[in-house]
Amino acid sequence: MYFQPLVDIRNRNIVGAEALLRWHNPELGNVSPDEFIPIAEQTGLIIPIGQFVIEQAFSASHHWQSHFMSQFKIAINVSPKQFREDKFVDLLTSLLAQYHINPSSVELEVTEGVLLSGDQIINSNLSAINDIGVSISMDDFGTGYSSLSYLRSYPFDTLKVDKSFINDITVDPGDLELVGAAIAMGHGLNLSVVAEGIETEEQYQLLSALKCDYGQGYLFSKPLPKAEFEALLDAQHKPE
Ligand code: C2E
Ligand code: MG
Ligand code: MG
């Protein structure tokens, strides 16, 4: 499990992390989650893996919430199959209690793939998650299909603008327009907006001018193992 800092755009302070899986295989080397997550989905292995991810993320955040920031935010990616489990919300509720995590500090990231099926179970799980006070964010916003109708129909709290749009905002006026519109729309719907994949100071300055709320990207930090992430928090909290 790796953790990538989520920063407040106004002051660049770390306010939380996204939990990201890593797999190092002795024969294959490092396998990207973009490759192994879809296979884990197909085989059903995503269910135990997903539970492992939530436990690791909660255990780390409990530590960071008690040592650094009580409101430290933890974002966890949830895949479609996990979401379709009828026991998903029960599992989430019991892990929140077991790791002493305040539901308001947790954000589950879903992609349109989760919503696409339109199953009733997805609807009821989304409302149940909302009811227990856990936030829901739309990941990779701008890619895929008709995200706008989903935003209206489901109880989202956050919009994560896909890094493919952030990538060219300094060179492509069209992308800059789109990102500005996504931020304005998010704010109009009372959502916070996160920009993914901020790599340069220039991108950061533009997003700051557009009043984007939060950011993630190599400019601030790559995803890090727990101990290295903690060193960043430690540095941020050292008295000047
Ligand atoms: P995602 O949720 O959109 O995660 C953001 C991806 O962008 C991560 O890739 C992260 O390392 C990468 N990234 C962050 N900042 C930058 C940047 O400045 N530049 C560039 N080029 N990339 C940046 P990663 O870790 O390879 O994960 C890929 C995808 O795999 C994730 O996309 C997510 O959909 C999925 N994934 C990762 N961990 C999990 C997990 O625990 N459960 C599930 N269901 N999916 C996961
Ligand atoms: Mg994500
Ligand atoms: Mg994303």
Side-chain angles (χ1 to χ4, degrees):
M1 204 78 248
Y2 274 47
F3 299 90
Q4 185 175 38
L6 175 74
V7 308
D8 185 330
I9 290 280
R10 289 168 303 180
N11 50 24
R12 298 165 87 124
N13 284 342
I14 300 173
V15 295
E18 177 175 2
L20 292 160
L21 260 180
R22 293 291 175 263
W23 181 27
H24 183 78
N25 178 282
E27 276 167 40
L28 303 170
N30 291 324
V31 185
S32 149
D34 284 325
E35 285 183 69
F36 69 77
I37 296 282
I39 299 170
E41 269 269 311
Q42 281 166 27
T43 60
L45 208 58
I46 194 67
I47 303 298
I49 292 178
Q51 176 166 349
F52 167 84
V53 167
I54 300 175
E55 295 200 41
Q56 294 286 308
F58 280 7
S59 153
S61 344
H62 174 70
H63 181 73
W64 296 331
Q65 289 178 350
S66 13
H67 286 80
F68 300 101
M69 259 175 274
S70 59
Q71 270 312 307
F72 184 90
K73 241 186 182 327
I74 185 77
I76 300 171
N77 295 282
V78 181
S79 76
K81 193 167 242 148
Q82 272 177 287
F83 233 86
R84 251 181 258 121
E85 286 277 289
D86 46 356
K87 295 220 170 55
F88 180 70
V89 184
D90 290 344
L91 172 72
L92 187 64
T93 310
S94 67
L95 292 178
L96 284 165
Q98 186 184 333
Y99 289 92
H100 307 286
I101 299 287
N102 185 341
S104 68
S105 67
V106 179
E107 189 146 89
L108 299 183
E109 301 194 356
V110 303
T111 53
E112 287 157 337
V114 168
L115 311 170
L116 218 52
S117 72
D119 291 352
Q120 186 47 42
I121 180 79
I122 304 280
N123 258 315
S124 58
N125 274 348
L126 279 170
S127 338
I129 287 164
N130 191 46
D131 290 345
I132 61 173
V134 165
S135 304
I136 305 164
S137 84
M138 158 96 44
D139 205 352
D140 304 341
F141 181 73
T143 63
Y145 316 90
S146 74
S147 347
L148 293 183
S149 68
Y150 292 137
L151 282 183
R152 197 177 40 147
S153 326
Y154 297 103
F156 283 101
D157 302 278
T158 302
L159 209 67
K160 294 192 82 170
V161 180
D162 192 68
K163 56 180 176 299
S164 59
F165 293 96
I166 307 303
N167 202 32
D168 287 339
I169 49 172
T170 53
V171 287
D172 184 336
D175 278 0
L176 182 61
E177 260 330 294
L178 282 174
V179 170
I183 294 170
M185 186 195 62
H187 288 164
L189 292 169
N190 246 327
L191 307 172
S192 21
V193 182
V194 181
E196 296 186 318
I198 308 176
E199 294 183 351
T200 68
E201 192 61 40
E202 292 72 25
Q203 291 167 344
Y204 168 74
Q205 292 303 338
L206 286 175
L207 290 160
S208 169
L210 290 170
K211 301 267 186 297
C212 188
D213 304 288
Y214 301 101
Q216 260 177 264
Y218 298 167
L219 175 66
F220 312 112
S221 166
K222 293 200 168 186
L224 301 170
K226 186 170 179 240
E228 286 173 44
F229 184 91
E230 201 162 311
L232 285 186
L233 286 180
D234 216 26
Q236 180 168 299
H237 285 82
K238 282 253 153 58
E240 299 282 304

